Amino acid sequence: MQFLQNLIFGISLGSIYAIMALGYTMVYGIAKMLNFAHGDVIMVGSYIVFYAVASSGVNPLLGILLSVVICTLLGIVIEKIAYKPLRKVASLAVLITAIGVSYLLENVALLLFGADTKSFPDVLSLPSLKLAGGALTISGTAVLAIICCLVIMAALLLFIKKTKAGQAMLAVSEDREAAQLMGVNVNKTISLTFAIGSGLAAIAGVLLCSQYHSLNPYTGALPGIKAFTAAVFGGIGSVPGAFVGGLLLGIIEDLSSAYISTQLANAIVFAVLIVVLLVKPTGLFGKKIREKV
């Protein structure tokens, strides 16, 4: 029964990683850039909910909605100011800029909120689910994380396949120049991608902090790297790959922590990633891309 308990917690943690990984995989798939500031957007969204709900007494759902709106706008601003001018430069310059934006957000958070770790409340206060006569207890936050992940994944796939904006995203991801010639507004499509990814980051941040009940300016740093790992694991650029990669990452991390070593759990996660990429460099769902010469 303990194994099942750990497995479910791993799935819930993996669901949060999957929601985070969507931001990485969408931006890379469409804009062909790695937004390493994504983890810090998660942190910003968490602080907004913390101060709105814990300090100001705002309704939790309104606090989460406010966080999603502000993070969505933040994602658009970051894309316009930091990334848009670098569309046609070397990828290394974009990578360095992304790291710079990440440090900027962390240091602004340090100035505004301080370095102390805050106790993040369970903003939704969901009851635990007891199964097998109480032998198996699943926290309400874990159940919510799994449900949110499934709903978000289904909604995103429907959005991509059934809407004009989603079709524009697919077109830009396949061939940006050809999509532009066909009348697709590439700039607007990329901005929309950043907006969606950043809005989802806010939701992931609330779920993550509700699960661990702690918040500081570096809260999003390691989970952001793990979410990127999940995206690469599943095949960066693939939405289903982000989902599967996130789930597998969460399960591996939790089972490693429970049965091997809490200190080695992160190392085992990254070691498994290395093995997967040695066997399948494009990730589980990734496709080989032919370079034009």
Side-chain angles (χ1 to χ4, degrees):
M1 196 62 70
Q2 185 61 42
F3 173 79
L4 188 58
Q5 182 99 39
N6 290 327
L7 180 63
I8 293 172
F9 184 84
I11 293 173
S12 71
L13 180 61
S15 297
I16 298 173
Y17 287 152
I19 296 172
M20 295 180 194
L22 283 172
Y24 282 108
T25 206
M26 289 177 66
V27 168
Y28 182 82
I30 294 167
K32 297 298 182 288
M33 63 176 63
L34 296 173
N35 179 23
F36 279 115
H38 189 65
D40 297 292
V41 176
I42 292 167
M43 173 268 295
V44 171
S46 301
Y47 267 111
I48 293 168
V49 173
F50 175 81
Y51 281 104
V53 178
S55 299
S56 303
V58 175
N59 181 281
L61 292 178
L62 288 178
I64 294 171
L65 180 60
L66 177 65
S67 175
V68 170
V69 170
I70 293 177
C71 285
T72 297
L73 295 175
L74 178 62
I76 295 172
V77 170
I78 289 173
E79 190 275 328
K80 292 291 185 185
I81 296 175
Y83 298 137
K84 186 178 178 181
L86 304 176
R87 295 262 174 88
K88 296 182 180 180
V89 303
S91 57
L92 181 60
V94 180
L95 180 62
I96 293 171
T97 301
I99 295 171
V101 173
S102 174
Y103 282 125
L104 174 65
L105 291 176
E106 287 176 4
N107 282 277
V108 169
L110 278 170
L111 290 172
L112 293 177
F113 311 124
D116 295 339
T117 297
K118 293 174 171 56
S119 178
F120 195 89
D122 190 356
V123 291
L124 296 177
S125 301
L126 298 173
S128 297
L129 182 64
K130 295 185 182 294
L131 302 174
L136 179 62
T137 303
I138 309 170
S139 70
T141 303
V143 174
L144 181 63
I146 296 170
I147 293 173
C148 282
C149 180
L150 293 174
V151 170
I152 288 170
M153 202 63 60
L156 190 58
L157 288 173
L158 284 173
F159 173 79
I160 292 172
K161 291 182 179 179
K162 301 294 183 181
T163 66
K164 288 184 178 180
Q167 292 297 303
M169 287 180 177
L170 285 177
V172 173
S173 69
E174 289 293 331
D175 192 318
R176 187 184 301 180
E177 288 75 17
Q180 194 164 17
L181 289 173
M182 296 300 292
V184 174
N185 189 327
V186 173
N187 289 330
K188 185 178 179 181
T189 301
I190 293 175
S191 293
L192 178 61
T193 304
F194 271 85
I196 293 173
S198 298
L200 294 179
I203 296 174
V206 173
L207 293 170
L208 182 71
C209 290
S210 295
Q211 195 143 293
Y212 289 104
H213 302 292
S214 65
L215 175 62
N216 62 56
Y218 304 105
T219 290
L222 184 57
I225 294 173
K226 289 180 181 178
F228 172 68
T229 302
V232 175
F233 198 172
I236 194 162
S238 168
V239 172
F243 174 68
V244 175
L247 289 183
L248 289 176
L249 195 79
I251 291 170
I252 292 169
E253 179 181 336
D254 191 69
L255 293 182
S256 298
S257 180
Y259 296 105
I260 301 176
S261 169
T262 54
Q263 286 79 18
L264 292 176
N266 290 335
I268 292 170
V269 165
F270 295 122
V272 170
L273 172 69
I274 292 171
V275 172
V276 169
L277 293 181
L278 286 173
V279 176
K280 198 173 189 300
T282 56
L284 298 177
F285 289 81
K287 298 182 294 184
K288 288 184 178 180
I289 299 174
R290 293 182 179 179
E291 295 285 345
K292 294 179 181 180
V293 294

